Amino acid sequence: QVQLVQSGSELERPGASVKVSCKASGYTFTDYGMTWVRRAPGQRLEWMGWVATDTREPTYAQAFTGRFVFSFDNTITTAYLQIFSLRAEDTAVYYCARKVRGLYYFDYWGQGTLVTVSS
Amino acid sequence: EIVLTQSPDTLSLSPGERATLSCRASQSVSSNYLAWYQQKPGQAPRLLIFRASTRATDIPDRFSGGGSGTDFTLSIIRLEPEDFAVYYCQQYGSSPYTFGQGTKLEIK
């Protein structure tokens, strides 16, 4: 069965960076893109963008350009979200989710990773 | 950007009853590209419905989606205890792909 298992919670200082992982199993990794979704405290879910696992091309939503990087290692079927120069407002739960081919809804999700940015 | 507004924020019902959740878009959703997700505390969201009315794999037929344009609904007949959760709608007709704020379905 399809599973996306994310790395554990992170506590980071402002200005640091963090890398969240998302281990995929149960399907051919390069057949589906991987998307990232954020939920900040008290906010609604927010689509961050996605990475095409066949072409390696990332697409970032406007609010997530510059400090956010999507990557993956298809040899270990793992996708990554890196956030640089962390700010307090980056505190959120980050989800990876498998993107359906050709469309932008998400059929399997990871359990979420809480990233807390605090001094 | 399309803003999705879900109503009500909280719905209190008893097992066996019928739930009707609403999702209204600020502009027409292209091709009725609207999805519904269920999320329970500490769990990953689960896809229920896509393209407004198509049930995802292994979703029971007590869940049904409807609507078009700007007004969409998720109906759950004969509520089971495991159905009490938070439900989100999402439009994927135009970027950025946006989500509603969620409706919490709680046991009365």
Side-chain angles (χ1 to χ4, degrees):
Chain A
Q1 73 281 19
V2 175
Q3 280 193 302
L4 300 176
V5 179
Q6 296 184 228
S7 48
S9 298
E10 302 273 7
L11 173 61
E12 300 292 346
R13 303 291 190 199
S17 62
V18 70
K19 192 172 188 178
V20 175
S21 67
C22 171
K23 168 69 175 176
S25 61
Y27 70 98
T28 301
F29 184 75
T30 50
D31 281 353
Y32 296 84
M34 192 70 76
T35 201
W36 291 90
V37 176
R38 179 174 84 173
R39 177 161 51 218
Q43 304 298 312
R44 57 182 65 195
L45 293 163
E46 196 172 10
W47 178 71
M48 301 174 65
W50 71 291
V51 60
T53 53
D54 51 358
T55 65
R56 291 191 171 271
E57 180 180 1
T59 300
Y60 299 96
Q62 190 171 13
F64 298 96
T65 57
R67 297 187 299 114
F68 300 83
V69 175
F70 307 144
S71 62
F72 62 89
D73 181 343
N74 60 12
T75 65
I76 55 171
T77 64
T78 299
Y80 301 99
L81 164 66
Q82 280 183 281
I83 312 172
F84 297 94
S85 301
L86 283 162
R87 306 167 181 170
E89 55 265 36
D90 295 323
T91 294
V93 177
Y94 293 85
Y95 296 94
C96 62
R98 191 177 83 165
K99 175 191 164 300
V100 173
R101 292 186 207 182
L103 294 170
Y104 291 87
Y105 67 93
F106 317 119
D107 59 354
Y108 292 94
W109 293 62
Q111 83 277 16
T113 296
L114 173 62
V115 174
T116 303
V117 183
S118 174
S119 54
Chain B
E1 172 175 321
I2 295 178
V3 177
L4 299 179
T5 302
Q6 294 185 239
S7 61
D9 287 334
T10 303
L11 184 58
S12 300
L13 293 170
S14 301
E17 292 191 295
R18 176 187 181 117
T20 302
L21 287 64
S22 172
C23 177
R24 177 163 288 177
S26 60
Q27 54 189 282
S28 185
V29 176
S30 175
S31 302
N32 294 328
Y33 281 166
L34 188 110
W36 289 92
Y37 302 89
Q38 175 195 68
Q39 188 174 27
K40 299 177 183 178
Q43 295 188 18
R46 175 191 181 196
L47 175 68
L48 300 175
I49 301 285
F50 61 93
R51 200 155 192 189
S53 61
T54 303
R55 273 188 300 276
T57 303
D58 295 332
I59 300 303
D61 59 7
R62 64 177 183 276
F63 291 88
S64 63
S68 63
T70 59
D71 289 293
F72 299 89
T73 57
L74 174 69
S75 296
I76 314 168
I77 60 172
R78 300 186 304 273
L79 283 166
E80 299 282 347
E82 62 266 27
D83 298 336
F84 292 91
V86 180
Y87 292 84
Y88 298 96
C89 57
Q90 178 228 340
Q91 68 80 21
Y92 55 99
S94 61
S95 180
Y97 310 107
T98 51
F99 292 83
Q101 84 280 14
T103 289
K104 181 180 181 180
L105 178 57
E106 64 177 25
I107 298 177
K108 188 172 182 180

